[in-house]
Amino acid sequence: MLSDIVYGNSEQQVLDVYYPSTKKENAPVIFMVHGGAWRIGDKASRSVVKNKVAHWVSKGFIFVSVNYRMLPKIRPVEQAEDVEKALLFSQKKAREWGGSSEKFILMGHSAGAHLISLISVRDNATIKPWLGTVALDSAAYDVTKIMNSKSPPRFYKKAFGKDQIYWEKASPIYMLAGKTPPFLAVCSSKRKDDSCSQARSFIEKAKSYGTHAKLLSVPLSHRKINIELGRDYC
C-alpha cells in the first residue's frame, strides 16, 4: 500500500493506492471517491476501503482511494475538478503501480457518486477514456430539482447555495449532452428521498445518447450499499 500520495498543492489533495502483494502489469484500477455530504469523509475510512480492497485487490485489481478539498473550502463543482486532477494523476502513475491507464473504473458513494457522475458527463480531453462508472446511491443527479423543491435539505443549501446557474453546472443530468462511458447507478430502495427516481431519470437520458447504462435498485440502506460492497457472503 502507498499512503498519502500528493496529487495537488492542498494537504487534502492526496490519495492511497492498494495493490496485490505480487505486482502485475496492466492491472485494472478501481478509482474510488468517498462521500460525506461534500464536507466530511476520508479516503481511509473502513466503510470506503475494507471490503472493496479485500475483494478486488485479491483478484488482481489496484484500488485507488481519493481525498479532495471539501466544504466550506470549495463547493461541489470545484471538488469535481479536484477529483479530475486526481484521476489524471492516477492514470499517469498507473503503469508505475502495475496498472493500466486504459482500464480504470470510476466508483463513488453518495457525494462521491455525485462527483464521479459530474466527471462522467463533462468533457476533459486530458483524461483517457475509462471502462465505466459505478455511482453508489447518489440522490443529486438533478440539483436544480432538489433546490427548487419546497424544502431542500439544509446540507444541500450549504453545498449549492442560491445561484441557479451553479445548480445546473452541479447537476449531472443537466450537464449530460452526449454518450458517456458505461454507467451503473446503484440506488437504495429503502431511502425516503427520490434517490432511485433521480437515478432512473439520469439513466434514461444517458441511454437516449447511446450510453450503455443501467439502474440497480437494492434493498440496502444508503450506508450499507457502501460498506457491504465487496463483502463475501459465502
Side-chain angles (χ1 to χ4, degrees):
M1 175 187 172
L2 302 173
S3 301
D4 295 327
I5 299 173
V6 175
Y7 69 84
N9 296 324
S10 168
E11 63 180 10
Q12 292 178 303
Q13 292 175 317
V14 290
L15 53 83
D16 295 340
V17 181
Y18 302 80
Y19 48 80
S21 54
T22 302
K23 278 193 180 182
K24 299 182 178 181
E25 292 184 0
N26 298 316
V29 181
I30 295 176
F31 179 89
M32 178 71 194
V33 183
H34 70 78
W38 302 279
R39 64 182 178 84
I40 59 173
D42 186 76
K43 59 182 171 50
S45 296
R46 287 171 62 86
S47 61
V48 176
V49 299
K50 183 182 177 183
N51 288 326
K52 301 178 190 70
V53 168
H55 181 77
W56 277 290
V57 173
S58 67
K59 296 183 183 299
F61 283 72
I62 292 169
F63 189 88
V64 178
S65 190
V66 180
N67 271 0
Y68 49 93
R69 292 173 294 169
M70 292 182 285
L71 293 170
K73 194 168 187 177
I74 62 170
R75 294 195 294 166
V77 172
E78 294 71 34
Q79 291 174 1
E81 293 171 1
D82 269 18
V83 176
E84 280 185 326
K85 188 172 184 176
L87 176 57
L88 178 60
F89 173 88
S90 297
Q91 286 183 335
K92 289 180 177 178
K93 286 283 189 178
R95 186 174 180 181
E96 181 180 319
W97 300 333
S100 169
S101 61
E102 298 177 351
K103 295 180 181 178
F104 270 62
I105 299 166
L106 273 55
M107 184 181 290
H109 174 249
S110 194
H114 168 255
L115 297 179
I116 62 164
S117 298
L118 264 186
I119 291 171
S120 296
V121 301
R122 299 197 316 192
D123 291 329
N124 188 328
T126 61
I127 296 174
K128 291 185 178 181
W130 56 93
L131 298 179
T133 300
V134 181
L136 303 173
D137 209 31
S138 169
Y141 291 99
D142 191 341
V143 174
T144 298
K145 180 179 179 181
I146 295 167
M147 299 306 292
N148 280 325
S149 65
K150 289 184 179 179
S151 106
R154 183 177 299 177
F155 71 93
Y156 275 89
K157 292 179 181 179
K158 290 181 178 180
F160 299 104
K162 298 179 179 180
D163 183 356
Q164 184 155 347
I165 294 175
Y166 190 86
W167 300 347
E168 293 172 354
K169 289 181 179 178
S171 298
I173 197 167
Y174 186 89
M175 299 300 293
L176 177 60
K179 187 176 181 180
T180 75
F183 197 102
L184 174 63
V186 181
C187 69
S188 168
S189 61
K190 292 190 171 185
R191 285 180 73 169
K192 293 181 180 180
D193 59 19
D194 62 350
S195 167
C196 284
S197 64
Q198 284 235 353
R200 185 175 296 106
S201 295
F202 178 83
I203 291 299
E204 289 174 357
K205 185 174 181 181
K207 284 181 176 179
S208 75
Y209 286 112
T211 298
H212 181 67
K214 184 176 180 180
L215 174 67
L216 177 62
S217 174
V218 295
L220 293 172
S221 70
H222 178 68
R223 182 171 178 267
K224 284 191 174 181
I225 282 176
N226 187 38
I227 292 174
E228 298 199 11
L229 183 60
R231 182 178 175 183
D232 186 0
Y233 286 92
C234 298

